[in-house]
Amino acid sequence: MSHEPLALKYRPRRFADLVGQDVVSETLKNALTQDRVANAFLFSGSRGTGKTSTARILAKALQCPESKGGEPCAECDICKAIARGDDMDVLEIDGASNRGIDEIRQIRDNAAYAPARARFKVYILDEVHMLTIQAFNALLKTLEEPPRHVKFIFATTESAAVPETITSRCQRFDFRRIPGAAIVQRLKDIAAREGISVEEEALAVIAHRSEGGLRDALSLLDQCIAGGGGVITLEGVRTNLGLSGRDLAAPIVEALCKRDKRALLDGLDLAFERGRDAEVLLDDLVELLRAAMVAMARDQSRVEAGPSTELANRFLETLPLQQVLLGMRLLLNARREMKLAGFPRVQLELALLKMILSRELVSAEELKSLLAAGGGVSPAQGAAEAPPRWQPPATLRKDSQPAAPLAQRAAPVAAPSRAESIVAPPPPARPSFQSAPSHAPSPARAVPAASAGSAPTVTAPVVAPTVSVESLDLPKLVLGWPKFMTLLGQQNRMLGGFLVNSEPLAVQGGVLKLRIQTAHALKTLGEPERRRQLEQSLLSVFGAALRVECVAAPAPEAGSENTPSVAPERHPGVMKLTATFNGTVVNVSNQNPAEERT
Ligand SMILES: [Zn+2]
């Protein structure tokens, strides 16, 4: 038996043989039977989806004297010559190696002559997007007024790179990736014809690895047959095919989730050692992050479909949305840098290390707003506090003991009564995608588990309301506000920063209207997750399930910027002092020299 590759041996010869492109073959067959075949076609789609095979079948169907119902006979001289690629009237041209204007002029001039033996002259231009602009322009003339005996079939993996002037003159067909089940079925048929016994799971692995390209799937099958001695098992396939792109991406994903710099570099080393291209690896990671992002944005708890769902779910479970977005931004920047500056490997390493390191930092924007709101960290305060290191906001850090230290710090200040202590730990690190009701609101969960660092989702505490919203009037809120702010400042400093100088304005029907000082703080508090944190903290201090409505503070009048609009004891600096040293304001005296003189 000669060793003919399966991809060639089982190349589809008729429309009926095409796998996974039913729409394309039906449409073309209809056009053929009605004799309404366009002059030019554009077949686009990823590799191995059947573009060139379909082009040949179409050429046969046009030329074959025995063609019936749009199907060529596949047996006559013409059909066979076309299948071999040496028919004199069907010319296959590779756009990648004939991309210049001279080659295209030749085609154009040649097209003027009548076909040698069949009805048409058919030009199949593969990888047409590779043509130069001049070549396209030369082609355009012929496309605009094609001789009646000429048909063009263009095939491309990058239809976006084909000029609009060309595509608009073609009948266009998009070749989809072939579904995994269809590939498995086709592999099964072929294996049966070859007399090879197979495990279906093994074929599924091959189909998955081929990413919707039948030609790749058949090449992989070849490889496994050669290595498996006539039997194809799951284990054999795994051994034969080695590590896939997904296998190589897995340790990198894991390292990113665990913020393990060493494991990250090891994972990258392995991938590069196995010949994985930095750009391809980068694209793999962007694809995974994107899948996680889409699922988060859709409030889905899992990435449902697509290749490498487990890896995407790892991101989904572990990283907060900000981190996913940041990761995508870093990687896309790196991709651009690869093109501009080169050093693809370094660019990728840099982006991924930044992604890990960024989780120890706070974003510049949040830092800015924090400082603008007076919630910044002075060295003195840092020294006075234990732990002295400023804690990144909960939304940016997921895994570094998120809940315990803050709650513990709140404890000595507050009396043990529920009404006074904020028991809410920082929010679940992934905002708004884990709604509280999906967890059983058991009272035990209200106490943050100090050592539960391994749990990927921090359950929001559920504090039951102890008083009705009606019983909570504005005076109570205004009186309790400084204390609330103090506790909030200890428990969730970021949120406290945004609420600096805030003031309860009204409370009605369970809605607390809150005046917010800066536009940025207002915007930030408009985020559902911030709002939820705030309402949770209010609940734990005031005991009522209030909803919050934030309104902007009026713009300061001209000349009045030095006049504080809030009571001195609620000045951010003062509040910070009282919060840090657990003190209270005893006396307020005016030290403004300008006012002293008057
Ligand atoms: Zn024929």
Side-chain angles (χ1 to χ4, degrees), residues 144-166:
E144 278 168 345
E145 293 165 22
R148 294 176 65 90
H149 62 266
V150 171
K151 303 282 180 197
F152 283 103
I153 306 171
F154 303 125
T156 180
T157 46
E158 292 177 43
S159 58
V162 180
E164 170 73 20
T165 46
I166 301 288

Side-chain angles (χ1 to χ4, degrees), residues 177-239:
R177 284 178 193 273
I178 304 165
I183 291 185
V184 168
Q185 189 54 51
R186 180 75 180 148
L187 294 178
K188 221 154 96 178
D189 292 348
I190 289 175
R193 283 207 244 168
E194 294 284 313
I196 290 158
S197 86
V198 292
E199 287 178 9
E200 191 151 337
E201 297 93 330
L203 297 182
V205 170
I206 294 174
H208 189 266
R209 191 73 66 87
S210 67
E211 295 175 353
L214 188 57
R215 191 173 57 226
D216 285 356
L218 288 175
S219 302
L220 293 173
L221 186 64
D222 257 334
Q223 197 179 324
C224 293
I225 291 172
V231 181
I232 294 182
T233 59
L234 180 60
E235 205 182 316
V237 166
R238 288 201 169 133
T239 315

Side-chain angles (χ1 to χ4, degrees), residues 12-19 22 25 29 57 71-72 186:
R13 302 186 308 157
R14 316 167 81 231
F15 285 116
D17 301 334
L18 278 174
V19 177
D22 299 349
S25 46
K29 274 197 295 188
I57 295 168
E71 282 279 23
R186 180 75 180 148

Side-chain angles (χ1 to χ4, degrees), residues 60 63-67 71-80:
K60 283 188 224 170
Q63 311 287 57
C64 174
E66 308 292 327
S67 146
E71 282 279 23
C73 77
E75 300 295 340
C76 69
D77 283 352
I78 292 181
C79 284
K80 283 183 172 163

